[in-house]
Amino acid sequence: MAVMGREWFADAVLYEIYPQSFADSDGDGVGDLQGVIARLDHIASLGVNVIWFNPCFASPFVDAGYDVADYLTIAPRYGTNEDMAELVAKAGERGIRVLLDLVAGHTSIEHEWFRRELAADGPDPAGDRYIWCEQLPEQVWQRETPGTPAWVPSPGPRPGFYLKNFYDQQPALNFGWVRRPGDPAWRQPADAPGPLRNRQALKDIIAFWLDRGVAGFRVDMAFSLVKDERVSEGLAATVALWREIREWLDDAYPDAVLIPEGSEPRTGGPAAFDADFFLVIHDEHGSLFDNHFPGVLPFHEAREPFFDAAGKGSTRVFLDGWDAARATDPARLIVMSTADHDYDRLCCGPRTAEQLGAALTFLFTWGNVPCLYYGDEIGMRFLPGLPNVEGSVCDPSYNRAGCRTPMQWDAGPNAGFSTADAARLYLPVDPSPDRPTVAAQEADPSSTLHFVRELIALRRATPALGTRTSTRVINEDYPFAYVRGESHLVVVNPRSEPADLAVAGVVGAPLLSSGVTAHAGGLSVAGFGHGIFNFEP
Ligand code: BGC
Ligand code: MG
């Protein structure tokens, strides 16, 4: 159970900022912290109260900053530690907290810890921070999840191989192994000296940034730490590690939150994390939004998404996943995002802006902690076919660049993102002549931007639409309809065909709606229609 100090997260409305792509203040073509500071009024105008930054630490950017070379220094291209302190303070003046991204499981090959071990001719007497073996194990150990880590030949002088977590340039930190009979010496237990040093290092990094006013962390690959641990075994050793960190936080920083990149929501609770992400890569969430459109992303190709014009999807996989994730703790907080830096956007493939209202209504009223991905407040499009930038291409069918393009601010050069020459931009701006921009949508009261502001304002003013009340589904097909806190009805019809809902108890005019009309037997919902109503059971 969340302690009182962290209750604030139950009311969080997150905004994820990909620092490369948000706002470039110095004209080098890459976003930076002063750029974000200059746009804080826009962020505050949305009604969000937490910013989550993808990693913004010193890095060679082989994996866009998820390869950290120094956890305690802001990457020069983004600014300085003082800029981060200024950002945290100025966000705080607007009632906005800041979460950073903790890449707990691996570093860059350029981290000084790795350089030191690479330069040695054998194990560090104080305990290795990385996982080395002299000869390739006969049975190459594989994780249960895809993207399997593997051994990389050491470029020397240190002989042998090191274990990587993601790309070769992301060596796995040594948090020990689940011990199995006949283990070789390099499969160290989780309480060996190297793993203990790394645990302490995690606490030191966390404390360093919390001391600078940060409110907590999203934890990258949080369940990857102790190796060869199986989800079916409950991830006991990794859970124990995070629990130890939580206990330390409870004493030292009781307000600070840790949110794991949710690879397995049911393990987040026992590890004393404060919430879990529902990620598109998992069927439970992907079944609603992820798509089968050519040129977008490879997940769940066989499944028709529910939030789609064709209207062939089902909510069942999602509903079962949601119930399972909360089976042991019905109050469990689950973060669901409009999109993120690894997947597509709501607006991808043939989807049009008029389709977004139903999806956004759902994401801000279902009872999850919502996370708005930068640019989704104006319905920015996923752009297929972009070049491989900083490891965006994981495999030929999976290019993350399309959701990482520059924020579209106005009608100026580079959509107001940067004064740099277009060829120098981190990624190209959406070239479409009718690309959405903040400035154009400010001037249009019927825009996605205005709708998102109204939706977030309604949610924040209406506790029944938040995380602390019940959710009762009254129709799981089109139109999807549910009652929140027994006092509000939400109906969304993501398909292009109209749909009818037989329901009694709708009270008065809609609080926010489009394309919904009341009649004696219930509600008629136009294609892509959505509405939020007062309700009496
Ligand atoms: C992050 C990715 C990153 C990977 C390796 C993921 O979970 O979200 O962007 O490439 O971890 O650090
Ligand atoms: Mg810049």
Side-chain angles (χ1 to χ4, degrees), residues 116-395:
R116 203 180 311 131
E117 289 192 14
L118 193 61
D121 54 9
D124 185 332
D128 277 336
R129 287 189 180 273
Y130 299 87
I131 301 172
W132 300 89
C133 71
E134 301 229 335
Q135 277 168 349
L136 266 194
E138 245 170 60
Q139 232 191 329
V140 176
W141 162 73
Q142 306 255 303
R143 281 178 63 212
E144 284 182 358
T145 43
T148 51
W151 297 99
V152 182
S154 167
R158 175 118 184 208
F161 301 80
Y162 67 86
L163 193 73
K164 70 170 178 174
N165 249 6
F166 200 67
Y167 288 132
D168 286 4
Q169 297 86 345
Q170 291 166 302
L173 283 163
N174 179 16
F175 290 97
W177 293 70
V178 171
R179 304 285 286 165
R180 314 248 178 232
D183 269 352
W186 51 260
R187 285 180 59 122
Q188 298 172 11
D191 59 356
L196 291 182
R197 287 170 97 185
N198 284 337
R199 271 184 202 213
Q200 186 55 45
L202 282 185
K203 293 179 191 166
D204 295 344
I205 296 162
I206 292 170
F208 181 89
W209 289 110
L210 293 178
D211 287 343
R212 281 152 186 79
V214 158
F217 295 83
R218 175 263 195 187
V219 185
D220 184 63
M221 292 180 64
F223 298 110
S224 73
L225 301 197
V226 179
K227 297 304 184 194
D228 202 10
E229 192 162 44
R230 297 174 191 154
V231 172
S232 54
E233 293 168 346
L235 297 175
T238 301
V239 164
L241 185 159
W242 285 116
R243 209 179 266 164
E244 177 192 314
I245 290 182
R246 181 72 256 171
E247 276 163 21
W248 160 73
L249 279 174
D250 280 345
D251 283 340
Y253 302 94
D255 294 348
V257 297
L258 292 181
I259 322 294
E261 181 190 14
S263 56
E264 176 46 46
R266 275 151 280 175
T267 58
F273 285 112
D274 295 284
D276 304 292
F277 274 92
F278 250 36
L279 295 182
V280 167
I281 199 166
H282 294 289
D283 233 19
E284 293 89 324
H285 189 198
S287 64
L288 290 187
F289 294 102
D290 201 29
N291 60 78
H292 48 282
F293 308 129
V296 188
L297 293 182
F299 308 112
H300 318 299
E301 294 189 36
R303 192 186 293 285
E304 296 279 356
F306 184 79
F307 280 82
D308 196 44
K312 292 185 186 150
S314 159
T315 55
R316 193 32 43 203
V317 174
F318 167 78
L319 293 175
D320 288 345
W322 175 267
D323 288 346
R326 309 220 312 173
T328 49
D329 178 4
R332 188 79 195 145
L333 297 176
I334 295 182
V335 184
M336 292 184 350
S337 309
T338 59
D340 78 19
H341 63 288
D342 286 332
Y343 310 116
D344 42 17
R345 285 183 181 271
L346 282 181
C347 203
C348 59
R351 287 197 195 129
T352 56
E354 68 174 335
Q355 290 175 247
L356 303 181
L360 290 164
T361 297
F362 164 73
L363 283 164
F364 283 90
T365 62
W366 172 252
N368 54 306
V369 173
C371 181
L372 184 66
Y373 186 50
Y374 84 95
D376 282 354
E377 70 268 42
I378 54 170
M380 268 173 59
R381 298 195 61 78
F382 178 92
L383 297 186
L386 293 180
N388 182 8
V389 173
E390 297 188 344
S392 63
V393 174
C394 294
D395 70 51

Side-chain angles (χ1 to χ4, degrees), residues 23-32 77:
D24 174 23
S25 72
D26 61 359
D28 66 352
V30 182
D32 45 56
R77 75 186 198 183

Side-chain angles (χ1 to χ4, degrees), residues 60 69 107-120 130 132 156-158 171:
T107 68
S108 158
I109 48 170
E110 293 191 11
H111 197 289
E112 59 156 332
W113 298 336
F114 190 76
R115 287 172 178 242
R116 203 180 311 131
E117 289 192 14
L118 193 61
Y130 299 87
W132 300 89
R158 175 118 184 208

